[in-house]
Amino acid sequence: MKDGILRAIFSGPCEGLGAKYAEFQAIKVAMELFIEADWVGKSPLVIESDAKMVLNWISNKFVRLWGWWTILVEIDKLVSKIAKVHFNYVSRQTNVLADYLVKDDMRRKSIFRAWC
């Protein structure tokens, strides 16, 4: 933690349900890490993603697909627990570390999580 900012990185194997599901899982893990690190109420959580459609489904309940309903309800519960969560679109080209972790997931057998 530096200057009151918690930074977290993680990567892990995908369950074979596609890139969108993997993005939902990553967002869910980020929120769980934020709660586990005891940051709720201390600072807002900012989640950056290059998946515009996923961010749209999280933000707008009226455009959600039924196939994603279960994980979106889990994300909604975490959002309500944290209260101050901001979702920002960031292109993959501007985040080299995220791009590397996505590619590294293919070889990873268990989830890697770290924060500082």
Side-chain angles (χ1 to χ4, degrees), residues 14-28:
C14 287
E15 297 177 4
L17 296 174
K20 288 179 179 65
Y21 187 78
E23 192 69 24
F24 284 130
Q25 283 293 99
I27 289 168
K28 183 177 168 227

Side-chain angles (χ1 to χ4, degrees), residues 95-112:
N95 192 341
V96 177
L97 180 58
D99 192 45
Y100 170 79
L101 289 173
V102 166
K103 292 172 183 162
D104 191 50
D105 284 349
M106 307 289 182
R107 297 182 300 271
R108 200 173 289 285
K109 295 196 185 324
S110 62
I111 193 163
F112 164 76

Side-chain angles (χ1 to χ4, degrees), residues 1-2 9 11 18 27 30 38 48 51 57 59 63 76 79 81 84-85 87-88 90 96 98 101 111:
M1 177 177 24
K2 183 179 178 186
I9 61 170
S11 70
I27 289 168
D38 196 31
E48 296 179 339
W57 286 333
S59 303
V63 297
D76 288 342
V79 167
K81 236 182 212 183
K84 294 182 180 179
V85 182
F87 297 96
N88 297 332
V90 177
V96 177
L101 289 173
I111 193 163

Side-chain angles (χ1 to χ4, degrees), residues 58-72:
I58 290 171
S59 303
N60 189 347
K61 293 180 182 181
F62 299 108
V63 297
R64 292 179 174 178
L65 300 175
W66 283 105
W68 303 117
W69 200 260
T70 302
I71 191 147
L72 283 162

Side-chain angles (χ1 to χ4, degrees), residues 1-9 30-40 43-46 114-116:
M1 177 177 24
K2 183 179 178 186
D3 301 324
I5 297 173
L6 173 68
R7 291 177 177 86
I9 61 170
M31 290 191 285
E32 291 169 343
L33 278 171
F34 189 79
I35 292 167
E36 186 179 322
D38 196 31
W39 270 81
V40 175
S43 176
L45 172 60
V46 177
W115 66 80
C116 61

